[in-house]
Amino acid sequence: MPHPPHQSLQLSAVQSLQGRSATVPQPRVPAREADGPWHAEAVCRRDEAGLFFAPSKEPTAARLSREEAAKRVCARCPVMVACREHALLQPEPYGVWGGLTAAERRVVLGRMRRRSAELRQGPAAAGTVAAAG
């Protein structure tokens, strides 16, 4: 089974950064085997690995610029939704996946956890919060 596109890109990034003082996280083995064929259709397989994974100690302006460029690649990708779902299910701790940065994915996951907790508590708890609010 082929590696997800970002794992291949991450390996390329590690190889290209050898000799620099940058630390790039090691590629992770997918937690599930049923990732499906979406990797083969990913636009990022044809783009530079450095867009999707940051070198250590990257200046903020450079990081923001790189992430925006990566998101532009994601925006034209036919499998962006599948990629994003993969990154949220893993959860992938590094890089831009499905048009979201690691920080943005943490926000989405937090919202999903809060929403799930609200649903488990039921409408009575939601009414209490609304009355207090």
Side-chain angles (χ1 to χ4, degrees):
M1 166 174 265
H3 290 292
H6 289 89
Q7 284 185 353
S8 299
L9 292 173
Q10 196 171 12
L11 286 172
S12 298
V14 169
Q15 292 165 353
S16 70
L17 291 172
Q18 288 176 346
R20 294 185 194 177
S21 62
T23 302
V24 176
Q26 293 298 314
R28 296 177 348 119
V29 175
R32 57 191 174 101
E33 289 296 317
D35 283 324
W38 66 268
H39 313 123
E41 300 300 318
V43 173
C44 61
R45 291 181 69 94
R46 298 181 294 272
D47 287 315
E48 176 161 339
L51 283 181
F52 298 93
F53 294 95
S56 67
K57 300 181 183 178
E58 180 179 33
T60 301
R63 176 182 53 82
L64 293 173
S65 176
R66 179 189 49 75
E67 288 173 346
E68 285 305 313
K71 288 178 178 186
R72 284 193 298 273
V73 171
C74 292
R76 68 177 201 265
C77 184
V79 295
M80 182 182 77
V81 172
C83 180
R84 182 177 294 180
E85 288 174 355
H86 163 85
L88 292 170
L89 289 172
Q90 283 296 321
E92 291 290 347
Y94 306 106
V96 175
W97 287 78
L100 297 177
T101 65
E104 291 166 336
R105 290 191 303 277
R106 285 190 296 271
V107 169
V108 169
L109 288 169
R111 287 178 182 160
M112 290 169 63
R113 281 190 296 270
R114 283 190 300 278
R115 180 69 178 140
S116 179
E118 289 172 2
L119 291 173
R120 283 192 305 272
Q121 291 176 355
T128 305
V129 172

